[in-house]
Amino acid sequence: MRTANSTGIWLPIFAGLCASLVSIGLARFAYTPLIPSLIQAQWFSANDVVYLGAANLVGYLIGALLGRPMAHRLGNRNALRLMMLAVTGAFLACAYPLSVSWFFGWRLLSGIAGGAIMVLVAATVLPHVPAARRGLASGAIFLGIGLGIAGSGTIVPPLLSLGLQATWLGLGVLALLLTALSWFGWPADTAHPVAAHATSADEPTPPGVYLLFAQYAFMAAGLVPAMVFLVDYVARGLGAGAHIGAMVWVMYGLGAIVGPVTYGFLADQLGARTGIRLVLVVQAIALGLLAVSHSFLALALLAVILGSFPPGIVPLALARVHELVPSHHRQQIAWSRATVSFATFQALAGFAYSALFNASGGQHTLLFVIAAGAIVVALLLEQAMRWLPSTTETRCAAN
């Protein structure tokens, strides 16, 4: 397989980082600190704001389903460029709250773009990276998600001082700038002969791939409560106030920056399977401790650990797909399905946790305990690999 030289490797990786930053990091996570302002400025009611927030998650699932068909028609490079332009357009359109349906449609489109980019970006960039460096490279690509989480706490507040409309326009300009910077960084689409596709389609899917789909789904369910309710838990649940809540969110963002590269490094050094096992143990413990911790120091440390998980697990899961599936075409299919599994459970979990939170009278700790349980289930599923036919692991390791 062709790989770029050491200098040429980093330009596609930078393009991938820009794509994940725009489509997930900003399009999803910059919305969270905007919620109070949207309500206070009476752009929408509180119920509508929550409904509009869910539009991005629903769009993410749609985009995960449409990503590969779109790339088949347009090519990976053109599809990625188009999706980044779509997110940019959505930011600019959201500066004008013409109606709930108008806003919902653009938030939905930004989610679709995010899901499609998540399916396509690694498949576009990683074939041009040496195999020994792909874990670290995928971590660098998805570092954009972490930068967006951190940026949501640092870029949005200054923009809000200029007004809500100026904030959306500012995010649109930033997205346009990142789209322009990455425009010529995308590598040419890698050709894969049709005959090879037909041959690989006849090969059975390793059982470990289906277990990974299930694991990835429970990981999605496990990461939602901290991602959505952490600030509210600190500010209102513990009575620490909005300032301390914002400081804890900054620590969460710091973890999100460190997570992708760290987890990608683990995949390269320990193997993805061992890396996933280690990360799940740490995350389950962190969620359990979060439910009983009250000191700022403990909360800050746990926020860093928990923040590393949403963007960090992506390169680990992707590396696991590469361990289990030998051919590039089948890797693309498997990764697309894994992303759909993740997106489905993330959307369902978002609605389910919100309903449970309201029904329980705002019990944050209950959500964190359930999330820890979901991570434990994912860990137990990983242990099920021991009962799979040994030839599967042996054959994958040989590839």
Side-chain angles (χ1 to χ4, degrees):
M1 181 176 294
R2 183 179 68 83
T3 57
N5 57 45
S6 58
T7 302
I9 286 173
W10 293 105
L11 193 56
I13 290 175
F14 174 74
L17 183 151
C18 290
S20 67
L21 172 55
V22 169
S23 64
I24 304 292
L26 292 178
R28 179 182 300 173
F29 290 101
Y31 184 79
T32 301
L34 287 172
I35 289 175
S37 297
L38 288 169
I39 298 172
Q40 291 169 7
Q42 297 184 347
W43 276 27
F44 306 104
S45 68
N47 289 336
D48 285 339
V49 167
V50 174
Y51 171 67
L52 293 169
N56 187 269
L57 296 180
V58 174
Y60 185 82
L61 173 57
I62 297 172
L65 292 167
L66 295 180
R68 289 187 64 249
M70 187 186 308
H72 180 73
R73 181 175 296 272
L74 302 176
N76 285 26
R77 179 166 53 179
N78 289 334
L80 287 163
R81 288 170 172 169
L82 178 62
M83 291 298 96
M84 291 185 73
L85 287 174
V87 176
T88 301
F91 277 132
L92 298 175
C94 285
Y96 304 95
L98 302 183
S99 67
V100 172
S101 58
W102 164 271
F103 214 86
F104 182 91
W106 287 107
R107 292 295 298 158
L108 182 72
L109 178 61
S110 69
I112 291 172
I117 285 174
M118 185 60 70
V119 168
L120 298 176
V121 63
T124 304
V125 174
L126 292 187
H128 301 267
V129 177
R133 300 173 67 180
R134 284 179 186 164
L136 186 60
S138 62
I141 291 169
F142 297 114
L143 171 62
I145 302 175
L147 291 173
I149 295 174
S152 69
T154 55
I155 297 174
V156 171
L159 286 174
L160 280 173
S161 66
L162 302 175
L164 196 52
Q165 185 177 64
T167 300
W168 284 108
L169 293 174
L171 290 171
V173 170
L174 178 58
L176 181 61
L177 176 62
L178 292 169
T179 300
L181 289 174
S182 65
W183 193 267
F184 297 104
W186 297 110
D189 294 339
T190 305
H192 297 281
V194 176
H197 291 190
T199 301
S200 64
D202 294 335
E203 298 177 10
T205 300
V209 173
Y210 294 109
L211 273 179
L212 178 63
F213 294 165
Q215 272 190 290
Y216 208 32
F218 279 100
M219 290 178 202
L223 63 83
V224 168
M227 186 172 69
V228 175
F229 295 100
L230 178 60
V231 175
D232 190 56
Y233 170 61
V234 174
R236 294 194 309 115
L238 299 179
H243 177 67
I244 299 298
M247 292 177 65
V248 171
W249 183 250
V250 170
M251 299 305 293
Y252 186 92
L254 177 62
I257 292 175
V258 174
V261 176
T262 302
Y263 288 23
F265 180 77
L266 283 178
D268 284 339
Q269 298 301 313
L270 303 179
R273 183 179 175 186
T274 301
I276 288 174
R277 183 186 301 141
L278 174 63
V279 166
L280 289 178
V281 169
V282 172
Q283 288 296 316
I285 294 173
L287 282 165
L289 291 175
L290 182 63
V292 297
S293 297
H294 299 90
S295 73
F296 173 74
L297 183 61
L299 290 169
L301 178 60
L302 292 172
V304 172
I305 296 172
L306 293 169
S308 71
F309 190 61
I313 197 59
V314 179
L316 259 181
L318 180 60
R320 186 58 177 153
V321 167
H322 285 206
E323 285 182 354
L324 290 167
V325 182
S327 73
H328 176 76
H329 177 64
R330 293 177 66 214
Q331 287 169 358
Q332 282 188 283
I333 296 174
W335 179 241
S336 176
R337 292 173 179 171
T339 303
V340 169
S341 173
F342 184 94
T344 301
F345 269 66
Q346 182 177 243
L348 292 175
F351 287 110
Y353 283 122
S354 296
L356 181 60
F357 182 72
N358 291 330
S360 65
Q363 291 295 320
H364 297 88
T365 55
L366 176 62
L367 305 184
F368 299 142
V369 170
I370 293 174
I375 298 297
V376 169
V377 172
L379 183 61
L380 293 175
L381 286 171
E382 196 278 332
Q383 295 301 309
M385 286 292 294
R386 296 182 179 184
W387 287 274
L388 294 178
S390 59
T391 52
T392 299
E393 286 293 304
T394 303
R395 183 176 66 251
C396 295
N399 287 281

